[in-house]
Amino acid sequence: MNILERRKYRGLKIPNYKESTADKLVVEATVPEELCFPMAMHIGAPAVPCVEVGDRVKIGTLLGTAEGKISANIRSSVSGKVVAVEKRASFRGESETVVVQNDFTDAEENLPALQEEIGPKEFSARLAASGITGKGGAGFPAGVKYAMDKEETRYLLVNGSECEPYSTTDYRIMTEYPEEIIAIIELITRVYQLEESVIAVEDHMKDALLALQEAIKKRGAKRIRIHSLPSEYPAGHAALQIRQVLGIEMEEGQRSGDAGILQSNVSTIKAMYDALINNQSLTRRVITVTGPMLKEPKNLMVRLGTGVQHLIDECGGLKGEADMINGGPMMGRPFFDTDLPVDKDTTTLLFLEKKEKPKETPCIRCARCVDHCPVALQPIVISNSYRQNRWDRAKELRAESCISCGVCTYVCPANIDLLKDIQALNKQWEENRNDD
Ligand code: SF4
Ligand code: SF4
């Protein structure tokens, strides 16, 4: 079944709350004395530490090597000395972590220069060496994604829609680095011999749109176009965006790669520029640090491994006790420890007013959750199955197709945390299925 077949789903109009950082230039964050590099910064197997306590490292030195088929290298974002290799808390749970004491010399170890003409093999190998993972939040290793047979691939779809409220990372990157973005898209289009490459942006992103158009014109790039999407949530959802932008319908369980489409976030494209043109590994990223409880919201260029508290201080501190979210309010995850280090897929750190969770009331069968689910699930039925301990219904109800967009919970007038139940059911299904 086509996952969007039930109706021509568009999206939900929600307030975007981007005004406090949208027009603020990206500024370099100061770098702390000690940085922590969890080996689990991506989807797949964690990297394996390849340094020991006492080793000297530079910016770009390999700290952990990719392990297995789906994994990614981890490189140091500062020069200094390794002072610990031990288990520590991270945004992805407890992880083996390399701790580096900064010597503040910023000595750098670059990747070797590439030949002028490269093919898909060299391109994907460079992404893997650099340690690039999807920077939109998914954390899939880019070296794995781009290591495919070029014959099968026809399109590149660059997601710049950034539909999560508060986040302005991608918007700033498109506005401030348009030439770098177009240069890499042009390279990918040539290397993979693509028919077309498209950048999807939301229609409110006027400055980004103009900057990208100008860069396309300046380079005379022929097979690159920009597609302006209505500002609706979740405009960044893969299947939805593929249909709206390329007119291709995805089947249930089909990945974009299977449909001949390379899909990357615009921040990932910028990281590719640094790796391929500047010979720099992935060691830093832009993060929107924002929310009504933060004194001075900012877009910061942050060295990976920097602790959250350091960034709160960079933004003038908090106004009081806050609900802290790694990501946006729709898909982000709450966290409670400001010592956690930012990693490759930290897009936004959000500090909201502390609020009592609204009291749940009985379902009134309004069907809003069903009508608004972008992948045509029945969230209330899945939630009920979880509450009745019927994890065995997960497959029949297609619970695994949930993209965790949070729309069902958002629209529910009875304040039922449907997404939480769906995730719990999927976890039970996963655990019990593995017991078979
Ligand atoms: S979070 Fe809810 S609305 Fe979003 S895909 Fe999952 S079930 Fe559907
Ligand atoms: S949106 Fe809430 S109240 Fe309406 S049917 Fe779904 S669970 Fe029930």
Side-chain angles (χ1 to χ4, degrees), residues 373-375 377 379 402-408 419 422:
C373 175
V375 289
L377 299 181
C402 172
I403 57 161
S404 300
C405 67
V407 164
C408 50
L419 173 58
I422 294 164

PDB file of all heavy atoms in Angstrom, residues 373-375 377 379 402-408 419 422, ligand 1:
ATOM      1  N   CYS A 373      -2.758  12.111  10.794  1.00  0.00           N
ATOM      2  CA  CYS A 373      -1.523  11.303  10.753  1.00  0.00           C
ATOM      3  C   CYS A 373      -0.975  11.292   9.322  1.00  0.00           C
ATOM      4  O   CYS A 373      -1.656  10.847   8.393  1.00  0.00           O
ATOM      5  CB  CYS A 373      -1.802   9.874  11.215  1.00  0.00           C
ATOM      6  SG  CYS A 373      -0.333   8.850  11.030  1.00  0.00           S
ATOM      7  N   PRO A 374       0.260  11.759   9.113  1.00  0.00           N
ATOM      8  CA  PRO A 374       0.787  11.841   7.740  1.00  0.00           C
ATOM      9  C   PRO A 374       1.037  10.489   7.100  1.00  0.00           C
ATOM     10  O   PRO A 374       1.184  10.417   5.882  1.00  0.00           O
ATOM     11  CB  PRO A 374       2.100  12.624   7.899  1.00  0.00           C
ATOM     12  CG  PRO A 374       2.462  12.509   9.316  1.00  0.00           C
ATOM     13  CD  PRO A 374       1.198  12.298  10.095  1.00  0.00           C
ATOM     14  N   VAL A 375       1.105   9.415   7.894  1.00  0.00           N
ATOM     15  CA  VAL A 375       1.340   8.099   7.285  1.00  0.00           C
ATOM     16  C   VAL A 375       0.122   7.190   7.456  1.00  0.00           C
ATOM     17  O   VAL A 375       0.232   5.960   7.437  1.00  0.00           O
ATOM     18  CB  VAL A 375       2.635   7.426   7.813  1.00  0.00           C
ATOM     19  CG1 VAL A 375       3.856   8.135   7.285  1.00  0.00           C
ATOM     20  CG2 VAL A 375       2.676   7.377   9.329  1.00  0.00           C
ATOM     21  N   LEU A 377      -1.955   6.250   9.849  1.00  0.00           N
ATOM     22  CA  LEU A 377      -2.135   5.278  10.935  1.00  0.00           C
ATOM     23  C   LEU A 377      -3.402   5.633  11.711  1.00  0.00           C
ATOM     24  O   LEU A 377      -3.992   6.700  11.515  1.00  0.00           O
ATOM     25  CB  LEU A 377      -0.932   5.298  11.884  1.00  0.00           C
ATOM     26  CG  LEU A 377       0.419   4.946  11.280  1.00  0.00           C
ATOM     27  CD1 LEU A 377       1.505   4.987  12.346  1.00  0.00           C
ATOM     28  CD2 LEU A 377       0.390   3.575  10.627  1.00  0.00           C
ATOM     29  N   PRO A 379      -3.805   6.300  15.291  1.00  0.00           N
ATOM     30  CA  PRO A 379      -3.075   6.429  16.556  1.00  0.00           C
ATOM     31  C   PRO A 379      -3.873   5.976  17.784  1.00  0.00           C
ATOM     32  O   PRO A 379      -3.322   5.313  18.655  1.00  0.00           O
ATOM     33  CB  PRO A 379      -2.766   7.932  16.623  1.00  0.00           C
ATOM     34  CG  PRO A 379      -2.748   8.366  15.201  1.00  0.00           C
ATOM     35  CD  PRO A 379      -3.761   7.540  14.501  1.00  0.00           C
ATOM     36  N   CYS A 402       5.136   4.530  12.028  1.00  0.00           N
ATOM     37  CA  CYS A 402       5.056   5.830  12.707  1.00  0.00           C
ATOM     38  C   CYS A 402       6.390   6.566  12.550  1.00  0.00           C
ATOM     39  O   CYS A 402       7.445   5.996  12.776  1.00  0.00           O
ATOM     40  CB  CYS A 402       4.731   5.619  14.184  1.00  0.00           C
ATOM     41  SG  CYS A 402       4.828   7.134  15.153  1.00  0.00           S
ATOM     42  N   ILE A 403       6.327   7.831  12.165  1.00  0.00           N
ATOM     43  CA  ILE A 403       7.557   8.611  11.978  1.00  0.00           C
ATOM     44  C   ILE A 403       7.833   9.507  13.187  1.00  0.00           C
ATOM     45  O   ILE A 403       8.665  10.413  13.121  1.00  0.00           O
ATOM     46  CB  ILE A 403       7.498   9.457  10.685  1.00  0.00           C
ATOM     47  CG1 ILE A 403       6.267  10.391  10.707  1.00  0.00           C
ATOM     48  CG2 ILE A 403       7.505   8.576   9.452  1.00  0.00           C
ATOM     49  CD1 ILE A 403       6.355  11.547   9.737  1.00  0.00           C
ATOM     50  N   SER A 404       7.100   9.279  14.281  1.00  0.00           N
ATOM     51  CA  SER A 404       7.291  10.022  15.544  1.00  0.00           C
ATOM     52  C   SER A 404       7.166  11.531  15.359  1.00  0.00           C
ATOM     53  O   SER A 404       7.860  12.295  16.023  1.00  0.00           O
ATOM     54  CB  SER A 404       8.671   9.694  16.148  1.00  0.00           C
ATOM     55  OG  SER A 404       8.767   8.330  16.417  1.00  0.00           O
ATOM     56  N   CYS A 405       6.267  11.952  14.459  1.00  0.00           N
ATOM     57  CA  CYS A 405       6.144  13.396  14.198  1.00  0.00           C
ATOM     58  C   CYS A 405       5.423  14.130  15.332  1.00  0.00           C
ATOM     59  O   CYS A 405       5.525  15.352  15.455  1.00  0.00           O
ATOM     60  CB  CYS A 405       5.420  13.638  12.882  1.00  0.00           C
ATOM     61  SG  CYS A 405       3.688  13.124  12.902  1.00  0.00           S
ATOM     62  N   GLY A 406       4.668  13.399  16.151  1.00  0.00           N
ATOM     63  CA  GLY A 406       3.991  14.017  17.305  1.00  0.00           C
ATOM     64  C   GLY A 406       2.690  14.723  16.968  1.00  0.00           C
ATOM     65  O   GLY A 406       2.062  15.321  17.840  1.00  0.00           O
ATOM     66  N   VAL A 407       2.247  14.654  15.698  1.00  0.00           N
ATOM     67  CA  VAL A 407       1.031  15.369  15.294  1.00  0.00           C
ATOM     68  C   VAL A 407      -0.190  14.854  16.050  1.00  0.00           C
ATOM     69  O   VAL A 407      -1.040  15.624  16.499  1.00  0.00           O
ATOM     70  CB  VAL A 407       0.841  15.257  13.758  1.00  0.00           C
ATOM     71  CG1 VAL A 407      -0.575  15.624  13.350  1.00  0.00           C
ATOM     72  CG2 VAL A 407       1.831  16.162  13.038  1.00  0.00           C
ATOM     73  N   CYS A 408      -0.297  13.537  16.216  1.00  0.00           N
ATOM     74  CA  CYS A 408      -1.488  12.968  16.874  1.00  0.00           C
ATOM     75  C   CYS A 408      -1.613  13.500  18.309  1.00  0.00           C
ATOM     76  O   CYS A 408      -2.703  13.905  18.731  1.00  0.00           O
ATOM     77  CB  CYS A 408      -1.455  11.445  16.845  1.00  0.00           C
ATOM     78  SG  CYS A 408       0.075  10.715  17.420  1.00  0.00           S
ATOM     79  N   LEU A 419       1.636   9.466  20.974  1.00  0.00           N
ATOM     80  CA  LEU A 419       2.971   9.113  20.478  1.00  0.00           C
ATOM     81  C   LEU A 419       3.722   8.267  21.506  1.00  0.00           C
ATOM     82  O   LEU A 419       4.373   7.277  21.166  1.00  0.00           O
ATOM     83  CB  LEU A 419       3.763  10.383  20.127  1.00  0.00           C
ATOM     84  CG  LEU A 419       5.229  10.155  19.768  1.00  0.00           C
ATOM     85  CD1 LEU A 419       5.381   9.207  18.586  1.00  0.00           C
ATOM     86  CD2 LEU A 419       5.927  11.468  19.450  1.00  0.00           C
ATOM     87  N   ILE A 422       2.492   4.811  21.333  1.00  0.00           N
ATOM     88  CA  ILE A 422       2.896   4.136  20.088  1.00  0.00           C
ATOM     89  C   ILE A 422       4.365   3.697  20.186  1.00  0.00           C
ATOM     90  O   ILE A 422       4.731   2.590  19.818  1.00  0.00           O
ATOM     91  CB  ILE A 422       2.658   5.060  18.868  1.00  0.00           C
ATOM     92  CG1 ILE A 422       1.146   5.288  18.701  1.00  0.00           C
ATOM     93  CG2 ILE A 422       3.259   4.484  17.598  1.00  0.00           C
ATOM     94  CD1 ILE A 422       0.772   6.449  17.812  1.00  0.00           C
TER      95      ILE A 422
HETATM   96  S1  SF4 B   1       3.407  10.393  15.693  1.00  0.00           S
HETATM   97 FE1  SF4 B   1       1.201  10.084  15.448  1.00  0.00          FE
HETATM   98  S2  SF4 B   1       0.651  11.349  13.703  1.00  0.00           S
HETATM   99 FE2  SF4 B   1       2.883  11.117  13.629  1.00  0.00          FE
HETATM  100  S3  SF4 B   1       3.210   9.323  12.328  1.00  0.00           S
HETATM  101 FE3  SF4 B   1       3.133   8.583  14.414  1.00  0.00          FE
HETATM  102  S4  SF4 B   1       0.997   7.979  14.687  1.00  0.00           S
HETATM  103 FE4  SF4 B   1       1.045   9.310  12.907  1.00  0.00          FE
END
